[in-house]
DNA sequence: TTCTTTATTTATAATCAATATAAATTTATA
DNA sequence: TATAAATTTATATTGATTATAAATAAAGAA
C-alpha cells in the first residue's frame, strides 16, 4: 500500500510541478486496490478533467515508474500494462478471464525476498510476482 | 527445465502436425537457457529455414502458451515479450540495462508456491516471478 | 498413383497501445 | 505586465503483434 502523499512528494522532490492532473493520477493510483491500466485511469478521470489527455496519463505513469514509486506489472491477457502503486514484494493474482488483478498476502514472500537479495548478485530494484488463473467469480463459467 | 519432446508431444496430443518449423521452434525453446523473444527465435532459425515466417513463430508460441507448456514473461524494458519453457515456479532475474533474463534457484519458492495454491481460492494455471535490476556485468557502467 | 480435402506456412495488410512531436496553455519569475 | 520555462494537449508516428488470404504441404480416398 502507498498513500497519495508518497507519490506526490516523489514528483516534487524530482523537481516536477504538482499539477491537478498529476495529483489526480497519484490519488487514483494510491487509493485503487485494483491494478489499473493507463486507459482505465484516463477513462476514470475524464469526467472530472474533461480536457485530460491520455498522453499526460502515460507521462505521469512513466515518471512514477522511473522514480521507483510504481511498478508495471505487464499485461494479463488484455494487451494493456497494469500498474501497481505497491512496490513492496507481494503476490498478485491475475484472472485470465476477467483480467482483474488482486493482491494476496503471503508471509513466505518475505523470506523469499531476503534470499533473492542475498544470493542474486544483482543490484535489485524491484520485484513483480504474478500468479495466473481463474478467480472464484470466473470459475463457474469455465467449469461448466 | 523442459526437453524438446515435452513440447512436441504436447503439440501432437493437441491434434497438430509436427512440422519442421514447429520442431525447430520447440527445440530452440527447450535448449535455450535464455528467455528468447519471438524476434530472437525468428532470427536464430532463419539461416536454417530461409522461408520461415515470423507469423509461424508467433503462432507456435501462442499455441504452446495456450497448452500451458510455455510462459510469457512479458517485456523487460525492451518492448518484446520473452518466453520461458520452464513453467515450474522459479525466480527470473531481468536486467533493465542489457535486457537479459536468467533464472536463479531459490529453495524458498517451493513453500511460497504451496502457500499460494493453498490460500488463493483461484484455479491457478501458472506463476511468473520477476526481479528487476542490474546484472553483475551491467553494474560497473551504471555505478560510474 | 491421381484427385480432393484439410492443415500449415507464408506474404501482406491491419491493429492499436504506446511513443514522439509540436502547438497551446499554464505557471513562475522579473 | 511581459518573458521564459514547464506542462498539457492535439496530432502524427512507431512497431510488436495480430488478422487475412494466397501458396504450399500433407493426409486420405479411390
Ligand atoms: Mn499488487
Ligand atoms: Mn525462467
Ligand atoms: Zn475472473
Ligand atoms: Zn545486464
Amino acid at each position: 500500500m502507498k498513500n497519495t502523499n508518497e507519490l506526490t512528494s516523489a514528483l516534487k522532490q524530482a523537481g516536477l510541478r504538482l499539477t491537478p492532473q498529476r495529483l489526480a493520477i497519484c490519488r487514483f493510483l494510491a487509493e485503487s486496490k485494483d491494478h489499473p491500466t493507463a486507459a482505465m485511469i484516463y477513462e476514470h478521470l475524464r469526467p472530472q478533467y474533461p480536457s485530460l489527455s491520455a498522453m499526460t496519463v502515460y507521462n505521469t505513469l512513466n515518471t512514477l515508474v522511473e522514480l521507483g514509486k510504481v511498478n508495471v506489472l505487464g499485461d494479463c491477457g488484455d494487451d494493456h500494462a497494469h500498474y501497481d502503486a505497491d512496490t513492496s514484494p507481494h503476490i498478485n493474482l491475475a484472472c485470465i478471464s476477467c483480467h482483474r488483478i488482486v493482491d494476496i498476502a503471503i508471509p513466505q514472500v518475505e523470506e523469499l525476498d531476503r534470499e533473492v537479495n542475498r544470493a542474486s548478485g544483482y543490484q535489485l530494484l524491484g520485484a513483480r510476482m504474478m500468479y495466473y488463473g481463474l478467480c472464484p467469480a470466473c470459475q463457474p463459467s469455465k467449469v461448466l
Side-chain angles (χ1 to χ4, degrees), chain A residues 2-13 18 22-23 25-31 64 67-70 84-87:
Chain A
K2 182 171 281 161
N3 62 36
T4 307
N5 191 46
E6 289 180 67
L7 297 177
T8 56
S9 58
L11 290 176
K12 283 189 281 188
Q13 277 186 3
L18 186 58
R22 283 174 179 161
L23 174 59
I25 293 166
C26 288
R27 185 145 47 201
F28 184 64
L29 271 173
E31 288 172 359
L64 289 169
L67 294 173
K69 298 303 173 184
V70 166
D84 193 341
D86 182 358
T87 53

Side-chain angles (χ1 to χ4, degrees), chain A residues 31-98:
Chain A
E31 288 172 359
S32 159
K33 293 194 176 185
D34 306 333
H35 298 72
T37 67
M40 289 163 73
I41 297 170
Y42 176 60
E43 291 304 332
H44 183 265
L45 297 180
R46 209 134 70 106
Q48 283 195 313
Y49 299 83
S51 77
L52 180 67
S53 150
M55 199 64 237
T56 298
V57 178
Y58 282 112
N59 283 336
T60 304
L61 286 170
N62 286 341
T63 300
L64 289 169
V65 169
E66 281 162 22
L67 294 173
K69 298 303 173 184
V70 166
N71 278 346
V72 194
L73 295 181
D75 75 284
C76 52
D78 57 358
D79 196 33
H80 285 62
H82 289 253
Y83 292 83
D84 193 341
D86 182 358
T87 53
S88 66
H90 66 278
I91 302 288
N92 296 280
L93 294 172
C95 178
I96 61 166
S97 176
C98 65

Side-chain angles (χ1 to χ4, degrees), chain A residues 80-136:
Chain A
H80 285 62
H82 289 253
Y83 292 83
D84 193 341
D86 182 358
T87 53
S88 66
H90 66 278
I91 302 288
N92 296 280
L93 294 172
C95 178
I96 61 166
S97 176
C98 65
H99 301 144
R100 268 187 274 269
I101 304 175
V102 300
D103 293 338
I104 180 174
I106 304 284
Q108 284 83 351
V109 168
E110 284 180 37
E111 197 176 330
L112 172 75
D113 186 64
R114 258 194 303 276
E115 185 58 16
V116 176
N117 276 277
R118 193 189 64 74
S120 76
Y122 275 52
Q123 185 180 319
L124 293 175
L125 299 167
R128 257 129 286 178
M129 309 198 204
M130 308 283 296
Y131 270 79
Y132 294 84
L134 287 170
C135 74

